[in-house]
PDB file of all heavy atoms in Angstrom:
ATOM      1  N   GLN I  74     -23.389  23.467   4.590  1.00 98.00           N
ATOM      2  CA  GLN I  74     -23.670  24.572   3.665  1.00 98.00           C
ATOM      3  C   GLN I  74     -22.544  24.718   2.651  1.00 98.00           C
ATOM      4  O   GLN I  74     -22.785  24.886   1.449  1.00 98.00           O
ATOM      5  CB  GLN I  74     -23.872  25.860   4.450  1.00 98.00           C
ATOM      6  CG  GLN I  74     -25.191  25.926   5.196  1.00 98.00           C
ATOM      7  CD  GLN I  74     -25.267  27.059   6.201  1.00 98.00           C
ATOM      8  OE1 GLN I  74     -24.346  27.883   6.309  1.00 98.00           O
ATOM      9  NE2 GLN I  74     -26.354  27.112   6.952  1.00 98.00           N
ATOM     10  N   ASN I  75     -21.321  24.622   3.127  1.00 98.00           N
ATOM     11  CA  ASN I  75     -20.166  24.700   2.233  1.00 98.00           C
ATOM     12  C   ASN I  75     -20.163  23.531   1.255  1.00 98.00           C
ATOM     13  O   ASN I  75     -19.887  23.705   0.057  1.00 98.00           O
ATOM     14  CB  ASN I  75     -18.874  24.688   3.058  1.00 98.00           C
ATOM     15  CG  ASN I  75     -17.623  24.703   2.191  1.00 98.00           C
ATOM     16  OD1 ASN I  75     -17.354  25.668   1.490  1.00 98.00           O
ATOM     17  ND2 ASN I  75     -16.860  23.627   2.236  1.00 98.00           N
ATOM     18  N   LEU I  76     -20.498  22.341   1.755  1.00 98.00           N
ATOM     19  CA  LEU I  76     -20.543  21.147   0.907  1.00 98.00           C
ATOM     20  C   LEU I  76     -21.554  21.308  -0.220  1.00 98.00           C
ATOM     21  O   LEU I  76     -21.261  21.024  -1.385  1.00 98.00           O
ATOM     22  CB  LEU I  76     -20.891  19.925   1.757  1.00 98.00           C
ATOM     23  CG  LEU I  76     -21.213  18.640   1.001  1.00 98.00           C
ATOM     24  CD1 LEU I  76     -19.991  18.119   0.255  1.00 98.00           C
ATOM     25  CD2 LEU I  76     -21.756  17.573   1.963  1.00 98.00           C
ATOM     26  N   VAL I  77     -22.747  21.743   0.115  1.00 98.00           N
ATOM     27  CA  VAL I  77     -23.807  21.878  -0.888  1.00 98.00           C
ATOM     28  C   VAL I  77     -23.438  22.946  -1.917  1.00 98.00           C
ATOM     29  O   VAL I  77     -23.583  22.738  -3.132  1.00 98.00           O
ATOM     30  CB  VAL I  77     -25.154  22.187  -0.209  1.00 98.00           C
ATOM     31  CG1 VAL I  77     -26.205  22.583  -1.242  1.00 98.00           C
ATOM     32  CG2 VAL I  77     -25.632  20.973   0.588  1.00 98.00           C
ATOM     33  N   GLU I  78     -22.947  24.083  -1.457  1.00 98.00           N
ATOM     34  CA  GLU I  78     -22.568  25.162  -2.376  1.00 98.00           C
ATOM     35  C   GLU I  78     -21.461  24.717  -3.321  1.00 98.00           C
ATOM     36  O   GLU I  78     -21.544  24.910  -4.544  1.00 98.00           O
ATOM     37  CB  GLU I  78     -22.114  26.389  -1.584  1.00 98.00           C
ATOM     38  CG  GLU I  78     -23.254  27.113  -0.857  1.00 98.00           C
ATOM     39  CD  GLU I  78     -22.754  28.180   0.100  1.00 98.00           C
ATOM     40  OE1 GLU I  78     -21.528  28.455   0.111  1.00 98.00           O
ATOM     41  OE2 GLU I  78     -23.580  28.731   0.860  1.00 98.00           O
ATOM     42  N   LYS I  79     -20.417  24.107  -2.772  1.00 98.00           N
ATOM     43  CA  LYS I  79     -19.287  23.688  -3.603  1.00 98.00           C
ATOM     44  C   LYS I  79     -19.674  22.544  -4.539  1.00 98.00           C
ATOM     45  O   LYS I  79     -19.187  22.468  -5.672  1.00 98.00           O
ATOM     46  CB  LYS I  79     -18.104  23.285  -2.720  1.00 98.00           C
ATOM     47  CG  LYS I  79     -17.382  24.472  -2.093  1.00 98.00           C
ATOM     48  CD  LYS I  79     -16.046  24.066  -1.511  1.00 98.00           C
ATOM     49  CE  LYS I  79     -15.259  25.289  -1.044  1.00 98.00           C
ATOM     50  NZ  LYS I  79     -13.972  24.906  -0.420  1.00 98.00           N
ATOM     51  N   SER I  80     -20.551  21.654  -4.062  1.00 98.00           N
ATOM     52  CA  SER I  80     -20.994  20.545  -4.915  1.00 98.00           C
ATOM     53  C   SER I  80     -21.724  21.069  -6.146  1.00 98.00           C
ATOM     54  O   SER I  80     -21.495  20.589  -7.269  1.00 98.00           O
ATOM     55  CB  SER I  80     -21.905  19.599  -4.127  1.00 98.00           C
ATOM     56  OG  SER I  80     -21.201  18.968  -3.085  1.00 98.00           O
ATOM     57  N   MET I  81     -22.595  22.054  -5.955  1.00 98.00           N
ATOM     58  CA  MET I  81     -23.316  22.616  -7.100  1.00 98.00           C
ATOM     59  C   MET I  81     -22.370  23.342  -8.051  1.00 98.00           C
ATOM     60  O   MET I  81     -22.561  23.305  -9.268  1.00 98.00           O
ATOM     61  CB  MET I  81     -24.436  23.537  -6.615  1.00 98.00           C
ATOM     62  CG  MET I  81     -25.601  22.778  -5.996  1.00 98.00           C
ATOM     63  SD  MET I  81     -27.109  23.772  -5.804  1.00 98.00           S
ATOM     64  CE  MET I  81     -26.616  24.880  -4.493  1.00 98.00           C
ATOM     65  N   GLU I  82     -21.328  23.954  -7.508  1.00 98.00           N
ATOM     66  CA  GLU I  82     -20.312  24.593  -8.373  1.00 98.00           C
ATOM     67  C   GLU I  82     -19.584  23.538  -9.202  1.00 98.00           C
ATOM     68  O   GLU I  82     -19.426  23.671 -10.414  1.00 98.00           O
ATOM     69  CB  GLU I  82     -19.306  25.363  -7.518  1.00 98.00           C
ATOM     70  CG  GLU I  82     -19.833  26.652  -6.908  1.00 98.00           C
ATOM     71  CD  GLU I  82     -18.804  27.310  -5.994  1.00 98.00           C
ATOM     72  OE1 GLU I  82     -17.610  26.931  -6.079  1.00 98.00           O
ATOM     73  OE2 GLU I  82     -19.192  28.179  -5.187  1.00 98.00           O
ATOM     74  N   ILE I  83     -19.138  22.480  -8.538  1.00 98.00           N
ATOM     75  CA  ILE I  83     -18.374  21.425  -9.212  1.00 98.00           C
ATOM     76  C   ILE I  83     -19.227  20.691 -10.241  1.00 98.00           C
ATOM     77  O   ILE I  83     -18.775  20.413 -11.366  1.00 98.00           O
ATOM     78  CB  ILE I  83     -17.821  20.428  -8.167  1.00 98.00           C
ATOM     79  CG1 ILE I  83     -16.712  21.092  -7.334  1.00 98.00           C
ATOM     80  CG2 ILE I  83     -17.297  19.169  -8.836  1.00 98.00           C
ATOM     81  CD1 ILE I  83     -16.330  20.301  -6.090  1.00 98.00           C
ATOM     82  N   LEU I  84     -20.462  20.388  -9.869  1.00 98.00           N
ATOM     83  CA  LEU I  84     -21.337  19.581 -10.720  1.00 98.00           C
ATOM     84  C   LEU I  84     -22.097  20.415 -11.750  1.00 98.00           C
ATOM     85  O   LEU I  84     -22.733  19.870 -12.649  1.00 98.00           O
ATOM     86  CB  LEU I  84     -22.323  18.787  -9.860  1.00 98.00           C
ATOM     87  CG  LEU I  84     -21.674  17.777  -8.898  1.00 98.00           C
ATOM     88  CD1 LEU I  84     -22.707  17.222  -7.920  1.00 98.00           C
ATOM     89  CD2 LEU I  84     -21.008  16.643  -9.669  1.00 98.00           C
ATOM     90  N   GLY I  85     -22.048  21.722 -11.598  1.00 98.00           N
ATOM     91  CA  GLY I  85     -22.662  22.602 -12.594  1.00 98.00           C
ATOM     92  C   GLY I  85     -24.165  22.725 -12.484  1.00 98.00           C
ATOM     93  O   GLY I  85     -24.851  22.860 -13.493  1.00 98.00           O
ATOM     94  N   GLY I  86     -24.685  22.692 -11.267  1.00 98.00           N
ATOM     95  CA  GLY I  86     -26.123  22.877 -11.107  1.00 98.00           C
ATOM     96  C   GLY I  86     -26.669  22.126  -9.907  1.00 98.00           C
ATOM     97  O   GLY I  86     -25.924  21.673  -9.038  1.00 98.00           O
TER      98      GLY I  86
END
Side-chain angles (χ1 to χ4, degrees):
Q74 287 168 4
N75 177 65
L76 170 66
V77 170
E78 289 170 7
K79 285 194 173 178
S80 295
M81 288 195 289
E82 287 176 16
I83 290 167
L84 298 170

